[in-house]
Amino acid sequence: MDVFAIKKGRALKLSVDEFEKQTCHDYPYYRKKKDKRLSLYAICPECGNPIQIVNMYGEEMMQNRTHKITLYGKHTGRAVEGFPYWDEEEMKNCSLYKPSPLGNTEIRTKTEESEEIKEIIEKNWRKIKQDIRGIVGVNLTNKEMEHMYEVFMDSHAYSYKAVNKYNIPYAMLRYQETILIYKSFLFDSPMSEIVKKRINSNSKYFAISDKRINKKGSKYYKIGIYFTKYQRKERKQYIHMVIYEADGSGKKDRSIILEERIEMKSWIYQ
């Protein structure tokens, strides 16, 4: 996980600066092991159980394939001195402990958690819209965004076990119909440059000029986005964004313009 907490329910983005600010290098968050190396702990913002912070200052767990050092938190799986709360059942039911694949439609049993996610979306919808636009690199119209909202909320997708408080923008993109983007403008984010390059180089029927997605001819074709292929590798989660074009019926001349793997990060909403 890339979040931590000092108090259950108050998630904080995991970084060296934020962790040091919140803990002041004090016990029980900092402690020495028998070999005199530092061992760092916090609590999971979701279930309240202790978590260990890995790779804060060194190469504790270098990724085997990529040789990259990733800062992350993981459940300890046991009680830790200095942290009074430990509940194994709560840990195993935690959305941050072995997350369900995004795309799974299994309903969670805790209805209060689903209602909390629903309330977060309702309260933070304006901010979530901007975060979604940043993820896709396209300034999706308010009409398209409101349709996305209705599809997600009316289908009660917030009740799916795979949806949690920290992946809401990705979940709303995953459990969705095709998002049409013809005549949309690019959104100022890192993804927008990728979208522009791929559409201009790979599309037969569309091009981007003056940051707007336009048709090259007069025939009716459509261009859309959908999200697919959730992956979990070496403590990280990924999802694929696909942009495709097709004829008006959507059945002929369908071709993929872009398929980009996106590393999922945690989004924190109050």
Side-chain angles (χ1 to χ4, degrees):
M1 68 183 77
D2 59 357
V3 290
F4 74 102
I6 303 301
K7 184 177 180 180
K8 181 182 177 181
R10 295 186 179 179
L12 299 162
K13 190 70 177 174
L14 180 57
S15 69
V16 174
D17 289 345
E18 188 65 34
F19 190 81
E20 291 180 337
K21 175 184 174 182
Q22 295 294 331
T23 63
C24 299
H25 287 236
D26 205 359
Y27 179 87
Y29 311 104
Y30 281 72
R31 62 186 72 193
K32 282 186 179 180
K33 298 189 287 187
K34 291 181 179 179
D35 61 5
K36 296 187 178 180
R37 295 177 65 186
L38 275 176
S39 187
L40 309 180
Y41 297 91
I43 66 171
C44 172
E46 190 71 13
C47 68
N49 281 298
I51 60 173
Q52 184 175 6
I53 308 301
V54 182
N55 291 335
M56 180 69 77
Y57 301 117
E59 301 179 6
E60 300 169 69
M61 291 289 290
M62 183 180 288
Q63 305 300 341
N64 292 330
R65 293 185 181 179
T66 64
H67 299 289
K68 290 182 179 179
I69 301 169
T70 302
L71 172 63
Y72 64 91
K74 65 175 183 177
H75 289 88
T76 60
R78 59 178 174 81
V80 175
E81 182 182 342
F83 294 89
Y85 186 78
W86 160 245
D87 189 308
E88 184 175 9
E89 184 177 355
E90 282 291 316
M91 180 192 74
K92 290 182 176 178
N93 288 325
C94 178
S95 64
L96 297 176
Y97 177 76
K98 297 181 180 179
S100 296
L102 202 58
N104 187 344
T105 56
E106 179 183 357
I107 304 293
R108 73 166 54 84
T109 55
K110 287 188 173 182
T111 55
E112 64 273 16
E113 186 176 342
S114 298
E115 286 302 310
E116 183 181 6
I117 294 170
K118 180 184 176 184
E119 289 175 10
I120 289 172
I121 295 171
E122 291 171 342
K123 182 179 177 181
N124 296 277
W125 177 230
R126 186 173 180 178
K127 175 68 167 61
I128 293 168
K129 284 195 294 185
Q130 291 299 91
D131 292 335
I132 287 173
R133 287 168 173 145
I135 290 169
V136 302
V138 177
N139 193 7
L140 303 174
T141 65
N142 283 326
K143 181 179 179 181
E144 198 67 44
M145 296 298 300
E146 292 309 314
H147 179 69
M148 287 177 61
Y149 181 90
E150 290 173 4
V151 169
F152 189 84
M153 301 297 269
D154 290 350
S155 63
H156 293 195
Y158 53 81
S159 298
Y160 295 156
K161 192 175 180 181
V163 180
N164 60 52
K165 292 186 290 187
Y166 312 104
N167 68 6
I168 289 171
Y170 303 113
M172 296 193 77
L173 287 161
R174 180 68 178 93
Y175 299 103
Q176 200 58 240
E177 300 174 326
T178 293
I179 305 164
L180 298 177
I181 58 173
Y182 172 49
K183 290 187 177 181
S184 294
F185 287 87
L186 296 181
F187 188 85
D188 187 15
S189 73
M191 182 58 72
S192 66
E193 286 302 312
I194 298 173
V195 170
K196 179 180 179 180
K197 182 178 178 181
R198 299 290 178 81
I199 290 179
N200 283 341
S201 61
N202 297 339
S203 175
K204 293 190 293 183
Y205 309 113
F206 297 90
I208 294 177
S209 57
D210 296 326
K211 296 187 177 182
R212 191 187 191 198
I213 301 170
N214 299 304
K215 280 196 299 183
K216 292 179 179 178
S218 58
K219 290 186 178 180
Y220 179 50
Y221 289 93
K222 68 179 183 179
I223 182 169
I225 295 176
Y226 65 89
F227 275 60
T228 186
K229 294 181 184 177
Y230 169 88
Q231 295 173 309
R232 188 167 183 257
K233 292 183 178 180
E234 297 178 333
R235 304 283 177 180
K236 292 185 177 182
Q237 299 179 78
Y238 301 91
I239 194 164
H240 287 235
M241 181 176 99
V242 177
I243 297 181
Y244 77 96
E245 62 184 1
D247 74 321
S249 68
K251 298 177 182 178
K252 296 179 180 179
D253 294 330
R254 181 187 295 268
S255 61
I256 302 298
I257 298 170
L258 172 152
E259 181 168 348
E260 189 74 15
R261 188 176 78 162
I262 296 173
E263 181 181 338
M264 296 168 60
K265 71 170 190 176
S266 293
W267 299 87
I268 300 174
Y269 302 105
Q270 302 302 324

